[in-house]
Amino acid sequence: MIVLRRIIISPLQQVVLDVQRPIDLSFKVSYPPGHEKDEIGALVTAVNASIERQQQQLSQIAGNEQRLKSILDGAGDACMLFNLSDGQIVYANDATFRLLDFSETELLDRKIFDISAALDSNEWNERVRIVTSIQAHQREGTLLAKDGREIPVESTSSTIELDGKRLLLSFMRDTRSRKHLETNLAHA
């Protein structure tokens, strides 16, 4: 039994302890002394190959997330994601923060009703029903900035599924300049 413990059990326990440690991106399981070329060594090699694949996948995911964030933050229009059931804001891009003059923390602590005075829960549910049934919906409306200013916007909304949740995705274009131009042309 002592030989079995020294040759198999102790080295395997060390491999398990190594695998259970918090992982950093340079993590590798160490070969127990004297086991570089036996079955335990083969197990360590397989575990290390698996860890390397996972590290590559995590790196690709992080790169994809950064690319998506750059695309959405580089958009000139505001982009927001809302929880379908209650209108909670779950995402907003940088253009949204600039348009409404909220910080990320302030805005993500709000619901659509807090930034759209004309909207109540009944109207929200009706819009969700429309967007869900026709897949995309365009409309004009207003958003409330942090200081209470009403900002006219044109929005295009659709529903998406993200992490198993149905969300409303809206891109909103600030139409103040266009409205001002239209008013000037009408009075000319």
Side-chain angles (χ1 to χ4, degrees):
M1 181 67 170
I2 293 175
V3 173
L4 182 63
R5 173 174 286 286
R6 187 171 49 84
I7 294 175
I8 297 174
I9 297 173
S10 293
L12 283 176
Q13 286 175 333
Q14 184 59 48
V15 169
V16 169
L17 287 175
D18 281 352
V19 170
Q20 290 175 340
R21 281 189 299 168
I23 281 188
D24 64 29
L25 290 180
S26 61
F27 176 76
K28 293 275 187 202
V29 176
S30 302
Y31 289 95
H35 292 281
E36 293 81 3
K37 300 203 184 276
D38 63 10
E39 291 82 6
I40 294 173
L43 174 65
V44 169
T45 299
V47 167
N48 282 336
S50 176
I51 290 170
E52 187 173 330
R53 282 190 304 278
Q54 290 175 8
Q55 290 167 344
Q56 289 170 351
Q57 290 170 343
L58 288 173
S59 179
Q60 288 174 343
I61 289 168
N64 289 340
E65 286 177 351
Q66 185 56 48
R67 280 188 288 284
L68 180 59
K69 181 175 177 10
S70 293
I71 289 167
L72 291 174
D73 285 343
D77 293 336
C79 175
M80 300 175 76
L81 279 174
F82 303 94
N83 185 313
L84 283 180
S85 63
D86 63 2
Q88 180 69 43
I89 301 167
V90 296
Y91 170 81
N93 68 350
D94 286 347
T96 307
F97 303 131
R98 286 190 305 274
L99 177 67
L100 302 178
D101 199 30
F102 283 106
S103 71
E104 181 176 2
T105 304
E106 291 171 324
L107 192 58
L108 296 182
D109 195 36
R110 289 179 164 61
K111 294 184 178 187
I112 184 63
F113 317 111
D114 300 321
I115 60 167
S116 181
L119 197 61
D120 62 20
S121 61
N122 290 333
E123 178 70 18
W124 170 255
N125 290 331
E126 180 61 16
R127 287 187 191 170
V128 167
R129 187 192 64 73
I130 291 168
V131 171
T132 303
S133 67
I134 63 174
Q135 295 162 351
H137 180 60
Q138 292 182 324
R139 66 178 308 275
E140 290 188 2
T142 58
L143 294 177
L144 293 174
K146 184 177 180 178
D147 63 6
R149 287 175 294 124
E150 288 191 358
I151 301 170
V153 294
E154 182 177 86
S155 67
T156 302
S157 300
S158 60
T159 57
I160 64 169
E161 188 168 321
L162 189 63
D163 297 329
K165 295 180 186 172
R166 301 277 298 156
L167 302 169
L168 185 96
L169 171 65
S170 287
F171 286 91
M172 291 156 275
R173 176 163 291 158
D174 180 352
T175 58
R176 286 178 289 189
S177 297
R178 188 181 81 206
K179 297 274 186 195
H180 183 69
L181 182 61
E182 289 171 356
T183 301
N184 287 344
L185 287 173
H187 289 53

